[in-house]
Amino acid sequence: MTPNNPTGTVYPRKYLEDIGRTAIDHDLPILSDEAYEALVFDGAEHVSPMSIPSMRDNAIGLFSFSKTFAMTGWRLGYLCGPEEFIKRAGTIHNLVLAHVSSHIQIAGLRALQGWDRFSAPIVRELDERRRTLVDELNTLDGMSCKLPQGTFYVFPDFRDASPGLTSQELADRFLQAGVGSSPGTFFGSGGDGYQRLSYSKVGIPQIVEGVKRMKRVIAQHASAGPLEN
Ligand SMILES: Cc1ncc(COP(=O)(O)O)c(C=O)c1O
């Protein structure tokens, strides 16, 4: 999955080539989720495994209109891959869903035709939010959050800022303070201590206010005092 949810990592070409070599050696297909392909920052390059010649025959790419064009809920996306695979996937899709509503397909076509016009302002706005959120998070004691190069998530490590609390406990406390986050453990046991924060639907003032509330939660935990809303 590149760019990656939850970390925001954009995988470099070399890393994908290594994955590709392993897949080819073991005759495995590569299913590549590229839903966030357009949401990259700081000049980072999104590399699709399908664009790597050695992987073209066994890579299948998954794309969505939800992130690039903020069309979440329209349930529109597409698959790219070897012709035979796409034919079979098309047959299954036909039998299960028939097709996406016509007006949504037309909107998707218009979105693709105006790719830069529609997605560039979204990326610019997200970039500003990303920088604000990371700067604000880094004012928390014990926090060192890096700027992710893609998606609209940050995945900070809260272990030093809130020692003794699991991801779920900290997420519950954030929620009581009016801040939604996904505990890192949603994404696997290695995520314990982390929170995924999304800046897709919040403006700059809400980001600043949200981090202020997180700071309050952490300060209350440090002093072991009662929680306030
Ligand atoms: C990596 C990734 N792929 C796919 C999706 C699903 O997107 P859609 O809205 O097209 O179902 C998401 C949604 O959060 C996602 O994070």
Side-chain angles (χ1 to χ4, degrees):
M1 185 195 304
T2 182
N4 185 270
N5 174 6
T7 64
T9 304
V10 179
Y11 293 145
R13 183 178 297 273
K14 167 85 178 64
Y15 183 83
L16 294 168
E17 284 171 350
D18 289 347
I19 293 176
R21 247 189 308 278
T22 307
I24 289 163
D25 286 351
H26 294 84
D27 196 22
L28 293 170
I30 296 161
L31 185 59
S32 162
D33 184 336
E34 301 173 44
Y36 298 92
E37 63 173 330
L39 306 187
V40 292
F41 311 103
D42 304 330
E45 181 198 14
H46 165 68
V47 180
S48 170
M50 289 180 302
S51 71
I52 298 173
S54 62
M55 295 162 79
R56 196 163 290 152
D57 289 343
N58 64 336
I60 296 151
L62 261 166
F63 300 86
S64 170
F65 287 73
S66 296
K67 324 293 176 183
T68 307
F69 304 110
M71 285 168 65
T72 308
W74 295 52
R75 317 315 303 141
L76 188 63
Y78 53 96
L79 273 177
C80 299
E83 195 174 343
E84 190 51 33
F85 174 85
I86 296 297
K87 263 192 208 150
R88 290 178 189 212
T91 303
I92 295 170
H93 185 267
N94 243 347
L95 292 171
V96 176
L97 291 171
H99 63 82
V100 176
S101 306
S102 310
H103 62 285
I104 290 179
Q105 292 191 49
I106 293 166
L109 178 63
R110 293 284 183 273
L112 288 178
Q113 287 167 337
W115 184 289
D116 286 336
R117 188 158 52 95
F118 295 127
S119 71
I122 293 174
V123 173
R124 258 196 312 276
E125 171 66 27
L126 289 176
D127 187 24
E128 196 187 342
R129 295 182 194 176
R130 173 184 73 120
R131 289 175 187 282
T132 304
L133 177 54
V134 169
D135 285 349
E136 291 293 319
L137 284 169
N138 281 330
T139 66
L140 295 173
D141 280 343
M143 173 61 69
S144 168
C145 180
K146 289 193 187 126
L147 266 176
Q149 284 189 306
T151 72
F152 40 59
Y153 305 114
V154 293
F155 198 57
D157 179 354
F158 278 92
R159 283 174 297 185
D160 288 340
S162 58
L165 287 182
T166 65
S167 286
Q168 184 65 59
E169 287 165 342
L170 186 58
D172 290 344
R173 291 187 186 196
F174 283 161
L175 195 58
Q176 283 174 39
V179 177
S181 68
S182 302
T185 39
F186 271 14
F187 307 96
S189 56
D192 197 25
Y194 292 74
Q195 300 288 323
R196 189 194 71 177
L197 302 166
S198 167
Y199 51 88
S200 71
K201 289 189 187 155
V202 282
I204 303 287
Q206 284 166 295
I207 290 173
V208 173
E209 174 62 23
V211 176
K212 213 182 273 174
R213 293 185 188 197
M214 286 192 252
K215 215 176 255 183
R216 227 180 292 147
V217 167
I218 286 168
Q220 281 163 351
H221 171 62
S223 65
L227 279 177
E228 286 169 22
N229 278 329

